[in-house]
């Protein structure tokens, strides 16, 4: 193979069957690079570093069939009717089951994490270097996906609860400040049980400040270190919470937590959010309550990754390999501030 412009060489490679020497029957450079090995390592790092994307229902298998949209039917609670002998029971009016409407999950996000490597093949053979490079790419993609999921959630919550005075409705929100007391937990529990009847399928997501405030829970059944304490027997020494009243507890370091607003950052996949104060398009921050966390039901969030992969090319002008990991994905949030349709309960710190 003749290279007409050696300095502009940008040849995609992969596979283990050939030689790294150019010749009449060889048209690859560095063909010992194995994308599958890198892809597995990047995926492992991605799964380790994602938080919010794991909270809902993963529809990636449906997304792989092609297309950029997945229509999700609303399957509510069917109506019930008494059965009477020799009388019509089931009519065509089944609107109570809410089967006529749907929500669309659009796969419209595409992020790539590129990195320069002096020699990708040698890095692939050296565990420490390989783990470093693949881990950083996986982390970057995970952060971008989590930031988009968080943005989708805060946008939904702003629509459902935001106003010109910030969050004013307490039908699906609990003011916790930075303390998170037993009273806050009791209120949260009441809202959750009022919506779905129990805590099955719910997860509590806390900001770093609110997670730290769990140490304020003391006395009664919340004694730290007690064998059957909701925070766990080892919470006082480890700071790790497995679950709380039957709900898994996770901490998120996401950009949208503990702040009144967020600026866009293309390098981390963060989109701008002006806060819960919708009265002046974010210019007045006096009522931009802080998002301190939330409880989310598994039916509130749907995510899908349509494709992902690792690519490598040799850039002669830089005398390095360019290796990149990318993901094409989307998500949608289904939640409303109406009885029976609240699937996210907000924890916030009021700035009024």
């Amino acid at each position: 193979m003749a290279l007409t412009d050696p300095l502009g060489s940008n040849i995609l490679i992969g596979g283990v069957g050939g030689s790294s020497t150019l010749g009449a029957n060889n048209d690859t450079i560095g063909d010992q690079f194995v994308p599958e090995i890198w892809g597995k390592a990047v995926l492992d790092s991605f799964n380790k570093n994602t938080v919010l994307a794991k909270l809902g229902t993963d529809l990636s298998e449906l997304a792989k069939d092609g297309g950029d949209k997945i229509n999700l039917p609303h399957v509510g609670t069917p109506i019930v009717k008494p059965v009477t002998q020799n009388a019509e029971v089931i009519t065509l009016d089944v609107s109570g089951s809410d089967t006529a409407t749907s929500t669309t999950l659009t796969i419209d996000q595409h992020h790539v994490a590129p990195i320069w490597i002096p020699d990708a093949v040698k890095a692939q053979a050296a565990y420490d270097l390989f783990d470093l490079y693949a881990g950083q790419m996986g982390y970057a993609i995970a952060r971008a996906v989590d930031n988009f999921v968080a943005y989708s959630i805060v946008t939904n919550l702003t629509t459902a609860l935001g106003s010109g005075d910030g969050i004013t409705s307490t039908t699906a929100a609990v003011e916790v400040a930075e303390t998170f007391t037993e009273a806050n937990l009791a209120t949260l529990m009441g809202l959750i049980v009022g919506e779905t009847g129990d805590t099955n399928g719910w997860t509590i997501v806390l900001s770093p400040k609110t997670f730290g405030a769990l140490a304020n829970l003391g006395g009664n059944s919340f004694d730290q270190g007690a064998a059957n304490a909701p925070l766990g027997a080892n919470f006082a020494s480890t700071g790790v919470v497995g679950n709380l009243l039957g709900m898994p507890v996770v901490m998120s370091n996401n950009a949208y937590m503990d702040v009144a607003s967020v600026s866009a950052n293309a390098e981390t996949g963060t989109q701008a959010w002006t806060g819960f104060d919708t009265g002046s398009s974010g210019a007045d921050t006096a009522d931009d309550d802080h998002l301190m966390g939330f409880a989310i039901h598994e039916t509130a969030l749907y995510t899908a990754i349509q494709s992902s992969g690792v690519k490598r090319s040799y850039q002669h002008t830089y005398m390095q390999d360019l290796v990149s990991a990318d993901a094409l994905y989307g998500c949608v949030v289904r939640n409303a501030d109406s009885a029976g349709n609240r699937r996210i309960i907000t924890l916030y710190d009021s700035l009024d």
Side-chain angles (χ1 to χ4, degrees), residues 86-120:
N86 299 324
E88 182 181 18
V89 176
I90 302 176
T91 66
L92 296 180
D93 180 15
V94 292
S95 57
S97 61
D98 198 21
T99 58
T101 59
S102 65
T103 299
T104 300
L105 190 163
T106 303
I107 301 172
D108 57 358
Q109 301 296 306
H110 194 184
H111 282 97
V112 60
I115 193 167
W116 288 107
I117 302 178
D119 190 326

Tab-separated table of all heavy atoms in Angstrom, residues 86-120:
chain	number	residue	atom	x	y	z
A	86	ASN	N	-75.096	-11.731	34.046
A	86	ASN	CA	-75.891	-11.392	32.858
A	86	ASN	C	-75.913	-9.895	32.561
A	86	ASN	O	-76.882	-9.375	32.025
A	86	ASN	CB	-77.338	-11.900	33.005
A	86	ASN	CG	-77.393	-13.414	33.144
A	86	ASN	OD1	-76.602	-14.135	32.527
A	86	ASN	ND2	-78.316	-13.890	33.973
A	87	ALA	N	-74.848	-9.203	32.934
A	87	ALA	CA	-74.765	-7.764	32.641
A	87	ALA	C	-73.375	-7.457	32.091
A	87	ALA	O	-72.380	-8.098	32.452
A	87	ALA	CB	-75.027	-6.945	33.901
A	88	GLU	N	-73.350	-6.479	31.191
A	88	GLU	CA	-72.068	-6.092	30.607
A	88	GLU	C	-71.167	-5.483	31.691
A	88	GLU	O	-71.580	-4.604	32.437
A	88	GLU	CB	-72.289	-5.068	29.493
A	88	GLU	CG	-71.000	-4.665	28.799
A	88	GLU	CD	-71.228	-3.628	27.708
A	88	GLU	OE1	-72.299	-2.978	27.726
A	88	GLU	OE2	-70.344	-3.466	26.847
A	89	VAL	N	-69.957	-5.963	31.751
A	89	VAL	CA	-69.014	-5.496	32.765
A	89	VAL	C	-67.914	-4.649	32.137
A	89	VAL	O	-67.650	-3.531	32.556
A	89	VAL	CB	-68.383	-6.686	33.521
A	89	VAL	CG1	-67.337	-6.187	34.507
A	89	VAL	CG2	-69.469	-7.472	34.238
A	90	ILE	N	-67.280	-5.194	31.095
A	90	ILE	CA	-66.157	-4.507	30.470
A	90	ILE	C	-66.658	-3.658	29.302
A	90	ILE	O	-67.215	-4.173	28.341
A	90	ILE	CB	-65.112	-5.517	29.971
A	90	ILE	CG1	-64.629	-6.382	31.136
A	90	ILE	CG2	-63.940	-4.802	29.322
A	90	ILE	CD1	-63.669	-7.470	30.717
A	91	THR	N	-66.465	-2.364	29.421
A	91	THR	CA	-66.861	-1.454	28.347
A	91	THR	C	-65.610	-0.960	27.619
A	91	THR	O	-64.477	-1.269	27.991
A	91	THR	CB	-67.624	-0.252	28.915
A	91	THR	OG1	-66.724	0.530	29.723
A	91	THR	CG2	-68.785	-0.716	29.776
A	92	LEU	N	-65.832	-0.182	26.584
A	92	LEU	CA	-64.707	0.341	25.827
A	92	LEU	C	-64.036	1.516	26.525
A	92	LEU	O	-63.001	2.000	26.074
A	92	LEU	CB	-65.180	0.769	24.425
A	92	LEU	CG	-65.707	-0.368	23.544
A	92	LEU	CD1	-66.133	0.183	22.187
A	92	LEU	CD2	-64.650	-1.443	23.368
A	93	ASP	N	-64.596	2.002	27.598
A	93	ASP	CA	-64.026	3.140	28.323
A	93	ASP	C	-63.040	2.620	29.370
A	93	ASP	O	-63.428	2.240	30.459
A	93	ASP	CB	-65.131	3.955	28.998
A	93	ASP	CG	-64.556	5.145	29.767
A	93	ASP	OD1	-63.376	5.481	29.528
A	93	ASP	OD2	-65.274	5.721	30.589
A	94	VAL	N	-61.771	2.584	28.993
A	94	VAL	CA	-60.740	2.144	29.927
A	94	VAL	C	-59.695	3.252	30.094
A	94	VAL	O	-58.513	2.999	30.285
A	94	VAL	CB	-60.051	0.843	29.446
A	94	VAL	CG1	-61.011	-0.312	29.510
A	94	VAL	CG2	-59.505	1.027	28.035
A	95	SER	N	-60.156	4.489	30.025
A	95	SER	CA	-59.239	5.627	30.100
A	95	SER	C	-58.498	5.681	31.431
A	95	SER	O	-57.428	6.270	31.534
A	95	SER	CB	-60.007	6.934	29.893
A	95	SER	OG	-61.045	7.058	30.854
A	96	GLY	N	-59.085	5.051	32.446
A	96	GLY	CA	-58.425	5.077	33.746
A	96	GLY	C	-57.084	4.365	33.765
A	96	GLY	O	-56.246	4.593	34.620
A	97	SER	N	-56.848	3.486	32.775
A	97	SER	CA	-55.572	2.780	32.714
A	97	SER	C	-54.498	3.593	32.016
A	97	SER	O	-53.342	3.183	31.962
A	97	SER	CB	-55.747	1.439	31.992
A	97	SER	OG	-56.203	1.664	30.659
A	98	ASP	N	-54.879	4.727	31.451
A	98	ASP	CA	-53.914	5.666	30.870
A	98	ASP	C	-53.069	5.013	29.784
A	98	ASP	O	-51.861	5.192	29.706
A	98	ASP	CB	-53.001	6.233	31.968
A	98	ASP	CG	-52.283	7.503	31.516
A	98	ASP	OD1	-52.781	8.133	30.578
A	98	ASP	OD2	-51.239	7.825	32.083
A	99	THR	N	-53.707	4.204	28.936
A	99	THR	CA	-52.960	3.525	27.879
A	99	THR	C	-52.910	4.322	26.590
A	99	THR	O	-52.238	3.932	25.644
A	99	THR	CB	-53.602	2.159	27.574
A	99	THR	OG1	-54.976	2.365	27.193
A	99	THR	CG2	-53.535	1.260	28.784
A	100	ALA	N	-53.599	5.450	26.530
A	100	ALA	CA	-53.688	6.210	25.287
A	100	ALA	C	-52.507	7.148	25.085
A	100	ALA	O	-52.300	7.657	23.992
A	100	ALA	CB	-54.988	7.006	25.253
A	101	THR	N	-51.737	7.409	26.123
A	101	THR	CA	-50.623	8.339	26.015
A	101	THR	C	-49.293	7.601	26.103
A	101	THR	O	-49.238	6.449	26.506
A	101	THR	CB	-50.687	9.392	27.132
A	101	THR	OG1	-50.637	8.723	28.400
A	101	THR	CG2	-51.963	10.199	27.043
A	102	SER	N	-48.234	8.277	25.706
A	102	SER	CA	-46.915	7.655	25.746
A	102	SER	C	-45.852	8.724	25.945
A	102	SER	O	-46.112	9.918	25.809
A	102	SER	CB	-46.640	6.879	24.448
A	102	SER	OG	-46.580	7.765	23.345
A	103	THR	N	-44.661	8.283	26.284
A	103	THR	CA	-43.509	9.157	26.437
A	103	THR	C	-42.436	8.683	25.476
A	103	THR	O	-42.248	7.473	25.288
A	103	THR	CB	-42.974	9.117	27.880
A	103	THR	OG1	-43.982	9.571	28.762
A	103	THR	CG2	-41.743	10.005	28.027
A	104	THR	N	-41.737	9.612	24.873
A	104	THR	CA	-40.719	9.265	23.884
A	104	THR	C	-39.319	9.449	24.453
A	104	THR	O	-38.987	10.523	24.960
A	104	THR	CB	-40.859	10.121	22.615
A	104	THR	OG1	-42.153	9.903	22.039
A	104	THR	CG2	-39.795	9.758	21.598
A	105	LEU	N	-38.511	8.411	24.398
A	105	LEU	CA	-37.097	8.486	24.753
A	105	LEU	C	-36.326	8.715	23.463
A	105	LEU	O	-36.349	7.874	22.554
A	105	LEU	CB	-36.642	7.201	25.435
A	105	LEU	CG	-35.249	7.187	26.086
A	105	LEU	CD1	-35.143	6.011	27.056
A	105	LEU	CD2	-34.119	7.092	25.073
A	106	THR	N	-35.668	9.845	23.361
A	106	THR	CA	-34.910	10.191	22.164
A	106	THR	C	-33.424	10.001	22.402
A	106	THR	O	-32.864	10.523	23.372
A	106	THR	CB	-35.175	11.653	21.754
A	106	THR	OG1	-36.583	11.838	21.555
A	106	THR	CG2	-34.442	11.987	20.467
A	107	ILE	N	-32.792	9.254	21.540
A	107	ILE	CA	-31.344	9.025	21.631
A	107	ILE	C	-30.666	10.111	20.807
A	107	ILE	O	-30.530	9.993	19.585
A	107	ILE	CB	-30.981	7.623	21.121
A	107	ILE	CG1	-31.719	6.578	21.964
A	107	ILE	CG2	-29.482	7.380	21.175
A	107	ILE	CD1	-31.595	5.173	21.456
A	108	ASP	N	-30.257	11.176	21.468
A	108	ASP	CA	-29.732	12.341	20.758
A	108	ASP	C	-28.459	12.906	21.384
A	108	ASP	O	-28.046	14.012	21.054
A	108	ASP	CB	-30.796	13.439	20.692
A	108	ASP	CG	-31.292	13.851	22.074
A	108	ASP	OD1	-30.842	13.265	23.079
A	108	ASP	OD2	-32.144	14.760	22.152
A	109	GLN	N	-27.843	12.147	22.277
A	109	GLN	CA	-26.613	12.600	22.914
A	109	GLN	C	-25.439	11.740	22.433
A	109	GLN	O	-25.530	10.506	22.417
A	109	GLN	CB	-26.718	12.498	24.440
A	109	GLN	CG	-27.861	13.304	25.029
A	109	GLN	CD	-27.688	14.794	24.798
A	109	GLN	OE1	-26.652	15.377	25.139
A	109	GLN	NE2	-28.705	15.425	24.240
A	110	HIS	N	-24.371	12.398	22.033
A	110	HIS	CA	-23.193	11.671	21.551
A	110	HIS	C	-21.947	12.344	22.101
A	110	HIS	O	-21.663	13.502	21.796
A	110	HIS	CB	-23.153	11.665	20.018
A	110	HIS	CG	-22.180	10.667	19.460
A	110	HIS	ND1	-21.924	10.553	18.107
A	110	HIS	CD2	-21.401	9.724	20.070
A	110	HIS	CE1	-21.031	9.596	17.909
A	110	HIS	NE2	-20.697	9.081	19.077
A	111	HIS	N	-21.217	11.633	22.947
A	111	HIS	CA	-19.994	12.178	23.532
A	111	HIS	C	-18.823	11.237	23.258
A	111	HIS	O	-18.990	10.019	23.188
A	111	HIS	CB	-20.152	12.380	25.045
A	111	HIS	CG	-20.922	13.604	25.406
A	111	HIS	ND1	-22.264	13.582	25.705
A	111	HIS	CD2	-20.546	14.906	25.500
A	111	HIS	CE1	-22.687	14.807	25.979
A	111	HIS	NE2	-21.659	15.623	25.859
A	112	VAL	N	-17.657	11.844	23.104
A	112	VAL	CA	-16.444	11.070	22.874
A	112	VAL	C	-15.365	11.554	23.835
A	112	VAL	O	-15.272	12.746	24.141
A	112	VAL	CB	-15.960	11.198	21.412
A	112	VAL	CG1	-15.654	12.649	21.065
A	112	VAL	CG2	-14.739	10.311	21.157
A	113	ALA	N	-14.574	10.616	24.341
A	113	ALA	CA	-13.464	10.936	25.243
A	113	ALA	C	-12.166	10.529	24.549
A	113	ALA	O	-11.813	9.340	24.529
A	113	ALA	CB	-13.621	10.200	26.570
A	114	PRO	N	-11.432	11.488	23.944
A	114	PRO	CA	-10.176	11.165	23.249
A	114	PRO	C	-8.970	11.340	24.158
A	114	PRO	O	-8.993	12.141	25.102
A	114	PRO	CB	-10.157	12.201	22.118
A	114	PRO	CG	-10.846	13.400	22.718
A	114	PRO	CD	-11.849	12.877	23.728
A	115	ILE	N	-7.921	10.600	23.876
A	115	ILE	CA	-6.716	10.708	24.676
A	115	ILE	C	-5.504	10.354	23.804
A	115	ILE	O	-5.580	9.471	22.943
A	115	ILE	CB	-6.793	9.770	25.910
A	115	ILE	CG1	-5.692	10.097	26.907
A	115	ILE	CG2	-6.775	8.321	25.512
A	115	ILE	CD1	-5.897	9.425	28.264
A	116	TRP	N	-4.405	11.089	23.988
A	116	TRP	CA	-3.165	10.819	23.266
A	116	TRP	C	-2.343	9.784	24.034
A	116	TRP	O	-2.155	9.898	25.238
A	116	TRP	CB	-2.337	12.092	23.096
A	116	TRP	CG	-2.881	13.083	22.110
A	116	TRP	CD1	-3.480	14.277	22.387
A	116	TRP	CD2	-2.867	12.972	20.692
A	116	TRP	NE1	-3.851	14.926	21.235
A	116	TRP	CE2	-3.478	14.136	20.166
A	116	TRP	CE3	-2.404	11.998	19.799
A	116	TRP	CZ2	-3.641	14.357	18.808
A	116	TRP	CZ3	-2.569	12.219	18.436
A	116	TRP	CH2	-3.174	13.380	17.957
A	117	ILE	N	-1.821	8.779	23.300
A	117	ILE	CA	-0.991	7.749	23.906
A	117	ILE	C	0.260	7.566	23.047
A	117	ILE	O	0.143	7.328	21.838
A	117	ILE	CB	-1.748	6.405	24.009
A	117	ILE	CG1	-3.037	6.583	24.817
A	117	ILE	CG2	-0.867	5.339	24.641
A	117	ILE	CD1	-3.874	5.329	24.925
A	118	PRO	N	1.445	7.674	23.620
A	118	PRO	CA	2.664	7.537	22.827
A	118	PRO	C	2.719	6.238	22.035
A	118	PRO	O	3.147	6.224	20.887
A	118	PRO	CB	3.777	7.604	23.881
A	118	PRO	CG	3.184	8.424	24.979
A	118	PRO	CD	1.740	8.045	25.025
A	119	ASP	N	2.299	5.140	22.636
A	119	ASP	CA	2.274	3.846	21.940
A	119	ASP	C	1.151	3.014	22.549
A	119	ASP	O	1.297	2.441	23.634
A	119	ASP	CB	3.615	3.124	22.089
A	119	ASP	CG	3.710	1.897	21.175
A	119	ASP	OD1	2.671	1.245	20.959
A	119	ASP	OD2	4.810	1.611	20.681
A	120	ALA	N	0.018	2.953	21.863
A	120	ALA	CA	-1.163	2.279	22.401
A	120	ALA	C	-0.944	0.783	22.569
A	120	ALA	O	-1.487	0.165	23.488
A	120	ALA	CB	-2.371	2.533	21.503
